[in-house]
Amino acid sequence: MKFMKLGSKPDSFQTDGDHIRHVATELATDIVVNVGDVKFYCHKFPLLSKSARLQKLVATSNDENGDELHIQDIPGGPGAFEICAKFCYGMTVTLNAYNVVAARCAAEYLEMYETVEKGNLIYKIDVFLNSSIFRSWKDSITVLQSTKSLLRWSEELKVVSRSLDSIASKASIDTSMVEWSYTYNRKKLPSENGNSPQWNGVRKQQTVPKDWWVEDLCELRIDLYKRVITTIKTKGRVSGDVIGEALNAYTMRRLPGFSKGMIPNNDIVKYRSLVETIVWLLPAEKGTVSCSFLLRLLRAAILLDCGETERNELMRRISQQLPEATVTDLLIRAPAEEATIYDVDIVHNLVASFMTHISRTDPVKKEFLESTRSPKFGPDASKVLVAKLIDGYLAEIARDPNLPVSNFVNLAEIVSSVSRPCHDGLYRGIDMYLKEHPGISKSERKRICRLMDCKKLSAEACMHAVQNERLPLRVVVQVLFFEQARATTSSGSSTPDLPGSIRALLPGGSHGSSRSTTTNTEEDWDSVPTAEDIKALKGELTTLRLSGETNRNGTAKTDIERVAVSRMKGLAMSKIFSKLKSSKERNGEISSSDTSESPEETKSTPSVSRKHSLS
């Protein structure tokens, strides 16, 4: 820290209690200056020789009270006046970054100009500020902090503006010109203090990071911090990424619990102002702050009841960076008055805004943006990422016992048009919802399962689905059929023909000839399978897996053998379906029109195409 000593005489000011200051000299004092609740017993000549204001006060005072002056509004109070008084006496005074602003304001109040006496206090302080304080990074920050109680005077004397310019200029210079000094807020790395095992005794020149100044500014109050960041941005030499890192660091430091999604319930007005200011300071460039940081800001803005403008701005920014988010980021708690655990509507709006934004993106620009991503993603990589994100989010919110079916389905349907290669994530969400909501109706169960495309389930997911007693029988049959189709395709044979009543259950299949047959089939196959049904289907899946494993083990098969295996699978499948239907006939669940239906009749009657799964 820089400092300046003024005067050479020893300090002869003495204290008598908390409210008396006097100069200990052989010459009796002849003036009393009341500053606040403190009385200063001094001599007129040294004070009046350097202060034009005191000259005026003595000249205009009554004869009776000519030896006693009252100064109640001097900036800096008794402490600042004492510095000025000691300077008048020529006593040693030490100025530093902590007291120089108060001394400068008090000197201005006392009118200690060069016109009164050469080399007066105002001149000396200004020289100290320009030659030392504003050339020091830390001293400039300290001076800016010290203007809190003297803001009006500091503004008029341009101390604030000069401090801001000094800080912004230093933060904007090339890092190669920075002599980085460690702050109280950052610990040295092992390689920087010689404790690294690779250290060979030769200290290497450390590279100064671009955000070297970020932690130091976290000590500023939000109003001054806003002005500093604004001045830095005005300089135009600091990238948006560094500005974003600075805002992130400041928010983490000044908003307790921010990183954990918790906001203190004390001093709501203070923290609300902080969040709104951070939103206002966000760089205009996309991607300068992480989506995770933006979502935490949104969570804080909701909890602190920030303005609609700030929340809308956050929603807009988040929707543009949604592919970067994680499921944890999206788990925003619903308001206390809501029955649900999480605020699904906010996520719904974010995804809808993202889909709208991505559809409006210029094709040339879109192609360029996608080309900058990892090569493992296709042209619609961002959409696929968001679809997978929502699949994971659905699996989390499905645990909420109060989550309505409509909320679950509506959110899933927003990304249903996105063709992702695998629906395992969506299946986990559907399965979790069915597990936590066993009392939903058949139509609701069917509506949820329609979100999933059974053809896009992995082998592991298919194995789980076929054994899943929570899924409608229709879905279990579809999974088993597509697993069989996959196995037969890999063996080089064609998919076997299935009865018409079974094909009606598959996407694009046709139903029976009579209206009653269609209705009863819908009711039968949308029901939850029994343990006997599951056992039969598990046996068929085991047969398919064993056959698939034989093929993968490299056992050679002739074309005739492959065709034979395919036909045997088809017969096994038909037998299972027949057993299932016979079981339902015995229970009186299938009408006479169903039992009399044959595959030939089904083929010869007009059909109505129905789709039971969505991509």
Side-chain angles (χ1 to χ4, degrees), residues 254-551:
R254 308 290 288 193
L255 191 57
F258 177 77
S259 60
K260 299 179 180 179
M262 298 182 294
I263 303 300
N265 53 11
N266 60 321
D267 208 346
I268 298 297
V269 175
K270 170 186 173 182
Y271 293 127
R272 181 189 300 139
S273 173
L274 187 150
V275 171
E276 290 179 348
T277 301
I278 294 297
V279 174
W280 188 85
L281 289 172
L282 289 172
E285 302 87 355
K286 175 184 173 183
T288 50
V289 292
S290 68
C291 189
S292 177
F293 174 67
L294 292 174
L295 281 162
R296 288 200 298 270
L297 269 182
L298 178 62
R299 186 184 292 115
I302 294 171
L303 293 175
L304 295 169
D305 195 24
C306 292
E308 194 72 20
T309 302
E310 286 76 19
R311 280 187 282 182
N312 289 340
E313 174 64 13
L314 286 172
M315 293 283 287
R316 182 187 69 81
R317 287 175 175 269
I318 294 169
S319 65
Q320 294 180 2
Q321 297 180 223
L322 197 57
E324 306 169 14
T326 65
V327 173
T328 304
D329 295 333
L330 295 180
L331 296 177
I332 300 174
R333 289 277 177 171
E337 61 273 12
E338 297 290 336
T340 57
I341 299 176
Y342 299 110
D343 197 332
V344 183
D345 291 336
I346 283 183
V347 177
H348 185 282
N349 293 336
L350 287 173
V351 179
S353 179
F354 165 79
M355 298 299 286
T356 302
H357 171 74
I358 206 72
S359 63
R360 292 178 179 175
T361 305
D362 180 69
V364 176
K365 182 180 179 182
K366 181 179 178 182
E367 181 179 356
F368 170 76
L369 292 176
E370 295 295 347
S371 66
T372 61
R373 294 183 178 272
S374 175
K376 67 179 180 179
F377 297 117
D380 290 326
S382 57
K383 286 186 178 180
V384 174
L385 288 174
V386 170
K388 290 182 177 180
L389 174 67
I390 297 306
D391 289 347
Y393 179 75
L394 289 172
E396 289 295 326
I397 65 174
R399 295 181 172 88
D400 183 0
N402 297 321
L403 181 67
V405 174
S406 57
N407 285 23
F408 185 93
V409 174
N410 291 341
L411 182 56
E413 285 179 341
I414 297 182
V415 294
S416 62
S417 61
V418 180
S419 179
R420 52 260 207 216
C422 183
H423 274 205
D424 285 11
L426 182 57
Y427 169 68
R428 281 192 293 271
I430 292 173
D431 180 48
M432 183 59 66
Y433 191 88
L434 295 178
K435 179 180 179 181
E436 298 293 334
H437 303 79
I440 63 174
S441 64
K442 286 184 180 180
S443 60
E444 291 174 329
R445 192 180 299 268
K446 179 180 177 181
R447 184 184 179 192
I448 290 178
C449 290
R450 277 180 172 174
L451 297 167
M452 176 178 59
D453 187 348
C454 298
K455 296 191 298 293
K456 294 186 176 182
L457 295 180
S458 66
E460 292 78 10
C462 287
M463 173 63 71
H464 187 278
V466 170
Q467 303 176 72
N468 192 344
E469 298 182 4
R470 292 183 287 271
L471 295 177
L473 189 56
R474 169 194 306 276
V475 178
V476 177
V477 171
Q478 287 182 13
V479 172
L480 184 56
F481 173 78
F482 289 124
E483 184 68 12
Q484 181 186 10
R486 188 184 304 167
T488 55
T489 301
S490 64
S491 65
S493 59
S494 59
T495 304
D497 292 334
L498 295 176
S501 59
I502 303 305
R503 281 200 174 276
L505 301 175
L506 304 174
S510 57
H511 294 287
S513 58
S514 66
R515 187 175 186 84
S516 62
T517 299
T518 303
T519 303
N520 288 333
T521 302
E522 291 287 334
E523 293 177 356
D524 295 336
W525 294 102
D526 288 335
S527 63
V528 177
T530 63
E532 183 181 350
D533 299 337
I534 292 293
K535 185 177 180 180
L537 292 174
K538 284 173 64 178
E540 175 62 15
L541 182 61
T542 302
T543 303
L544 294 178
R545 288 183 63 205
L546 290 174
S547 176
E549 289 174 2
T550 302
N551 290 337

Side-chain angles (χ1 to χ4, degrees), residues 170-337:
K170 291 174 176 57
S172 301
I173 64 175
D174 189 277
T175 54
S176 62
M177 302 172 62
V178 177
E179 294 181 2
W180 195 21
S181 59
Y182 292 93
T183 69
Y184 299 108
N185 309 315
R186 181 186 180 278
K187 294 182 179 179
K188 289 185 177 182
L189 299 175
S191 60
E192 297 167 337
N193 58 18
N195 293 332
S196 175
Q198 287 79 28
W199 190 58
N200 57 6
V202 179
R203 192 174 302 279
K204 296 180 180 179
Q205 180 67 31
Q206 296 296 325
T207 302
V208 177
K210 292 182 179 179
D211 60 349
W212 63 269
W213 50 269
V214 165
E215 292 289 344
D216 292 333
L217 298 187
C218 291
E219 301 300 324
L220 294 173
R221 300 189 330 271
I222 186 61
D223 54 335
L224 293 176
Y225 185 80
K226 176 182 179 180
R227 297 179 67 175
V228 169
I229 297 298
T230 302
T231 308
I232 292 175
K233 292 168 71 174
T234 302
K235 297 284 184 183
R237 295 194 293 270
V238 177
S239 67
D241 292 338
V242 178
I243 297 293
E245 178 60 30
L247 298 178
N248 188 6
Y250 187 86
T251 309
M252 292 288 189
R253 176 76 63 83
R254 308 290 288 193
L255 191 57
F258 177 77
S259 60
K260 299 179 180 179
M262 298 182 294
I263 303 300
N265 53 11
N266 60 321
D267 208 346
I268 298 297
V269 175
K270 170 186 173 182
Y271 293 127
R272 181 189 300 139
S273 173
L274 187 150
V275 171
E276 290 179 348
T277 301
I278 294 297
V279 174
W280 188 85
L281 289 172
L282 289 172
E285 302 87 355
K286 175 184 173 183
T288 50
V289 292
S290 68
C291 189
S292 177
F293 174 67
L294 292 174
L295 281 162
R296 288 200 298 270
L297 269 182
L298 178 62
R299 186 184 292 115
I302 294 171
L303 293 175
L304 295 169
D305 195 24
C306 292
E308 194 72 20
T309 302
E310 286 76 19
R311 280 187 282 182
N312 289 340
E313 174 64 13
L314 286 172
M315 293 283 287
R316 182 187 69 81
R317 287 175 175 269
I318 294 169
S319 65
Q320 294 180 2
Q321 297 180 223
L322 197 57
E324 306 169 14
T326 65
V327 173
T328 304
D329 295 333
L330 295 180
L331 296 177
I332 300 174
R333 289 277 177 171
E337 61 273 12

Side-chain angles (χ1 to χ4, degrees), residues 530 532-533 580-590:
T530 63
E532 183 181 350
D533 299 337
L580 295 178
K581 292 186 69 179
S582 297
S583 175
K584 292 183 179 291
E585 286 175 1
R586 288 195 298 272
N587 295 330
E589 296 178 358
I590 301 181

